[in-house]
Amino acid sequence: MIVYSCHGAAREVTGSCHLVECGDSRILVDCGLFQGGHGAFDANTRGFAFDPRSIDVVLLTHAHLDHCGRLPKLVRDGFAGSIVSTAATHDLARVVLLDAASLQEDEARRARSRGDRDAMPISSLDDAFRALDAFDRVAAYDEAFEAAPGIRATFLDAGHILGSAFLLLELDDGTNRRRMLFSGDLGHHGSGMLRAPVPAPPADFVVMETTYGNRPHRPFDATRKEFLDAVGDTLKAHGNVVIPTFALERAQEVLYCLHGGLREGKIAPGTQVFLDSPMAISATAIFRRHPECFSEGFREALRHEDPFAMPHLHFTHGVEESMAINAIEGGAIILAGSGMCTGGRVRHHLRHNLGRSRAGVVLVGYAAEGTLARDIVDGKKVVRIGRHDVPVRARVWTINGFSAHAGQPELLAWLGEEPRQQVFLVHGEPDGGMAAMRDILQARGVSVACPAFAAPCRLA
């Protein structure tokens, strides 16, 4: 039995992909896109560290791009097997992969118009549709099935985003039998919309993410209060609230918080709320179709009212509708993508509102170096948006408690005290979350490895 770690190398925490060989079977756990950093495009366009034609099955933990974004390339390069996920992940992956392919085609067209005649997208819409055709099996939580000869798989609730799972693999190569866990991304309890992650069951080997392995998250109640205070203060000043929002999970959590603020009187009745992101609108519709992923408390709340259908909530589909919002000079809440302000509709909303001292910008997600969101967080007085130099006079709030990732205490609680033959740490910065988790686990007497990119790990 061999596991190859093909996750992001160096300081990247993206591009999750793991190859498992057991007897004559070869399966992948995830096949994600590399994001951020100067080498991301090259990493996404180069060949895989394995022959895609040799892979029998892909088991997909969830629909974030850094876990599913290279599936279209995998199919284009020869993969002809099945992709298996939960039903909610299948629905979200359709939105995510088609949106990503459309953006990649647009970027390639712009590059060709600037003179780069050889510019091609990482994957095309045709590639994305072919990948979606390969989703021919849906997995239910907690039900084991034969993924490939000698490999039984069980999807268990990871509580990260809608439909997310971690995987238990039962491996039998005819000589040895081993149990192995792949954490995927584990969830932060957050707003309580989703169920908390199921604790890790007994297993010989564990492959565990370490994104926030070096710190805890603040309690969500404090995050929620800070968020509603920021929104309320801006509205009292008769300004617009611009919230750069990631389409999956973050947009829905923000809507849930706003709904609660309206119900509790912290936001004035009649406040206009705009969800100006076609992808987030589609994702919100998918949320409504999958109550099986919600916590019991959230399901109970849904029996009384729909938090995604508050009064005066507008779903903005067309570009003209989006542009019309800019005629509103104050008193509106605008949720728009992208979360890091690198593209999408939020950029023109920022161009119209950053210069207004009454306006507020509420950042609820991670802002990477080199992005417009990071420039705003860092307090730049003037930022560049397209061809415009825009003064920053609006109030800016950075609210860090909305993360969908487990913090250090939650990662340790998930792993528990079960004896493990070895724990492999992935999906974290080597001198950050990965190093912190390594030190803690080694101090407990756990055998730990931090595999390098495409490094084979033989399971005894």
Side-chain angles (χ1 to χ4, degrees), residues 255-266:
L255 286 176
Y256 186 35
C257 283
L258 291 172
H259 183 272
L262 284 163
R263 188 179 61 245
E264 297 159 15
K266 295 178 180 178

Side-chain angles (χ1 to χ4, degrees), residues 58-78:
V58 178
L59 304 179
L60 179 60
T61 63
H62 65 286
H64 275 152
L65 264 182
D66 60 332
H67 289 257
C68 72
R70 287 218 293 171
L71 287 171
K73 176 176 169 56
L74 186 78
V75 171
R76 187 180 68 214
D77 289 359

Side-chain angles (χ1 to χ4, degrees), residues 19 49 94 164 198 274 329 348 351 361 394:
L19 168 62
R94 180 178 183 83
S164 62
V198 175
F274 297 89
E329 295 187 3
H348 72 79
R351 185 163 65 85
V361 177

Side-chain angles (χ1 to χ4, degrees), residues 57-333:
V57 176
V58 178
L59 304 179
L60 179 60
T61 63
H62 65 286
H64 275 152
L65 264 182
D66 60 332
H67 289 257
C68 72
R70 287 218 293 171
L71 287 171
K73 176 176 169 56
L74 186 78
V75 171
R76 187 180 68 214
D77 289 359
F79 171 70
S82 297
I83 301 172
V84 186
S85 71
T86 65
T89 293
H90 176 211
D91 288 351
L92 287 176
R94 180 178 183 83
V95 174
V96 169
L97 292 178
L98 293 177
D99 181 74
S102 179
L103 290 173
Q104 290 162 13
E105 287 189 341
D106 286 346
E107 289 170 4
R109 276 194 293 270
R110 285 194 293 270
R112 288 195 294 271
S113 72
R114 293 192 298 265
D116 184 358
R117 289 182 294 179
D118 296 326
M120 296 294 291
I122 297 166
S123 58
S124 66
L125 279 167
D126 183 57
D127 297 330
F129 278 115
R130 289 177 60 206
L132 291 167
D133 286 341
F135 280 77
D136 60 2
R137 266 199 282 180
V138 169
Y141 286 126
D142 307 318
E143 294 183 9
F145 63 95
E146 185 179 62
I151 303 177
R152 284 180 63 78
T154 306
F155 282 67
L156 298 156
D157 197 342
H160 174 57
I161 66 168
L162 194 79
S164 62
F166 67 90
L167 293 172
L168 170 63
L169 300 185
E170 298 170 275
L171 307 172
D172 183 353
D173 64 4
T175 303
N176 297 301
R177 292 183 178 180
R178 295 289 183 266
R179 288 165 62 92
M180 188 167 195
L181 291 173
F182 286 86
S183 73
D185 285 348
L186 297 167
H188 172 46
H189 296 174
S191 67
M193 281 199 310
L194 302 182
R195 295 187 298 240
V198 175
D204 304 292
F205 301 95
V206 181
V207 178
M208 186 170 79
E209 66 117 328
T210 58
T211 310
Y212 288 98
N214 58 342
R215 59 190 184 274
H217 294 306
R218 68 190 300 199
F220 190 76
D221 285 347
T223 294
R224 182 178 181 276
K225 181 181 184 306
E226 183 184 5
F227 171 75
L228 290 176
D229 286 347
V231 172
D233 288 353
T234 304
L235 294 175
K236 286 174 186 174
H238 306 290
N240 288 329
V241 184
V242 180
I243 308 173
T245 311
F246 295 99
L248 300 190
E249 205 70 33
R250 198 63 47 81
Q252 292 76 36
E253 282 202 321
V254 168
L255 286 176
Y256 186 35
C257 283
L258 291 172
H259 183 272
L262 284 163
R263 188 179 61 245
E264 297 159 15
K266 295 178 180 178
I267 298 173
T271 299
Q272 304 295 310
V273 181
F274 297 89
L275 182 57
D276 189 18
S277 164
M279 184 175 170
I281 293 168
S282 297
T284 303
I286 291 168
F287 265 64
R288 290 193 176 101
R289 295 204 298 268
H290 290 283
E292 75 277 5
C293 299
F294 297 146
S295 69
E296 182 56 42
F298 191 72
R299 283 202 300 271
E300 179 61 30
L302 284 174
R303 293 187 184 104
H304 303 289
E305 55 187 338
D306 184 350
F308 304 137
M310 68 188 83
H312 308 291
L313 171 62
H314 308 276
F315 292 128
T316 308
H317 293 275
V319 174
E320 289 185 4
E321 293 175 278
S322 175
M323 299 298 291
I325 297 170
N326 292 321
I328 302 173
E329 295 187 3
I333 301 172

